[in-house]
Amino acid sequence: MRLFVLCRLLLSIALAAPSSTTAMEFNLVGTTLVLSGGVADNDLAKIKDNLDPARVKLIVLHQNKGGDLWNAFRIGERIRESGVPTTISGYCNSACAIIFLGGVKRTFSDGKELRWTSAGFHGAYNRTTKEANTGQAPPLSYYINNMTGGRFPKELIEKALYIKKNSDFIYAFHPSFYQAKPRGIMECHVPEDGKRKCTMIEGLDAITIGVITDMEITILSDEVKALIQLL
């Protein structure tokens, strides 16, 4: 069964949606399509209108906090079918990270400093109540496993998806940012005392778990950098 059939169950579920999610902005600069802002209900239609593989050669996900899960799944699948590579500029959290995994080739870019560039994963939650919805973990797990070629460890998927609060995250940074000891996978959660705590997970990095496919830093054009400074 195709993943989008499973995801019809997720229409009322969000990932890291802001309280008032606005649709993504689609900006084409030369052959680079820049996606910024939150993922909203009508963004699947927009990607269909804007993603022409004959013209678009790179998708940049810039400063995106996430949003609608169902649209994220479908957009990610659409990108995978197109064969267009994806790269991140700044943070790409939750639904954005799901979209990012759609790229056959996935990198981090020089749009922002590496210390501010990451892909953040976490489980689904109800938009209205903000309560975690771990019942949606199986289709999310299937998608992540499929898009990373089975490289995303099962135990890490469980940490990422079986959350207690919508602020619980697994972040993937570029391995070269931790040159002394290659790593870059960070677990963040909010315990009962309400103080957010983050710890590095030893022995894992973004390339070994399949979040990125290449160590290279994608160099964005001056025109693209000028645009993202305005977004």
Side-chain angles (χ1 to χ4, degrees), residues 10-219:
L10 307 179
L11 287 171
S12 63
I13 305 299
L15 285 182
S19 56
S20 57
T21 304
T22 56
M24 279 195 295
E25 290 188 37
F26 288 68
N27 290 284
L28 184 63
V29 182
T31 59
T32 300
L33 181 61
V34 181
L35 307 183
S36 60
V39 184
D41 295 347
N42 62 343
D43 285 334
L44 175 60
K46 287 186 177 181
I47 199 71
K48 290 179 178 178
D49 293 337
N50 286 274
L51 182 54
D52 177 5
R55 184 177 182 186
V56 177
K57 302 304 178 184
L58 177 67
I59 293 172
V60 178
L61 292 150
H62 172 69
Q63 302 289 67
N64 191 310
K65 293 182 179 180
D68 185 78
L69 175 56
W70 187 79
N71 274 268
F73 274 128
R74 298 300 304 276
I75 292 169
E77 285 194 329
R78 187 84 176 189
I79 292 173
R80 179 58 61 94
E81 291 170 359
S82 75
V84 176
T86 54
T87 193
I88 293 174
S89 166
Y91 57 79
C92 177
N93 293 338
S94 199
C96 176
I98 294 299
I99 292 173
F100 173 64
L101 291 183
V104 175
K105 180 180 180 181
R106 301 180 295 278
T107 62
F108 287 166
S109 79
D110 68 342
K112 292 285 184 179
E113 293 182 47
L114 280 183
R115 61 176 173 166
W116 304 121
T117 304
S118 64
F121 297 86
H122 76 164
Y125 66 89
N126 186 283
R127 286 183 183 178
T128 303
T129 67
K130 307 302 181 183
E131 293 180 354
N133 191 326
T134 55
Q136 306 307 327
L140 267 168
S141 176
Y142 174 86
Y143 179 94
I144 294 172
N145 186 67
N146 182 53
M147 291 301 193
T148 62
R151 297 176 67 182
F152 206 108
K154 181 180 178 181
E155 60 274 16
L156 192 62
I157 287 181
E158 291 180 353
K159 283 178 177 287
L161 304 186
Y162 288 91
I163 60 176
K164 293 182 179 180
K165 299 180 180 180
N166 63 3
S167 55
D168 295 342
F169 268 93
I170 295 292
Y171 293 101
F173 295 89
H174 194 277
S176 68
F177 186 60
Y178 299 92
Q179 295 179 6
K181 189 173 184 179
R183 56 183 187 177
I185 305 303
M186 179 184 291
E187 178 182 5
C188 296
H189 67 284
V190 180
E192 295 304 318
D193 61 12
K195 297 180 180 179
R196 197 167 196 242
K197 297 181 179 179
C198 296
T199 56
M200 300 299 297
I201 299 176
E202 298 288 343
L204 298 177
D205 61 50
I207 199 163
T208 60
I209 69 172
V211 172
I212 59 174
T213 61
D214 204 302
M215 286 284 288
E216 92 176 66
I217 303 298
T218 294
I219 307 301

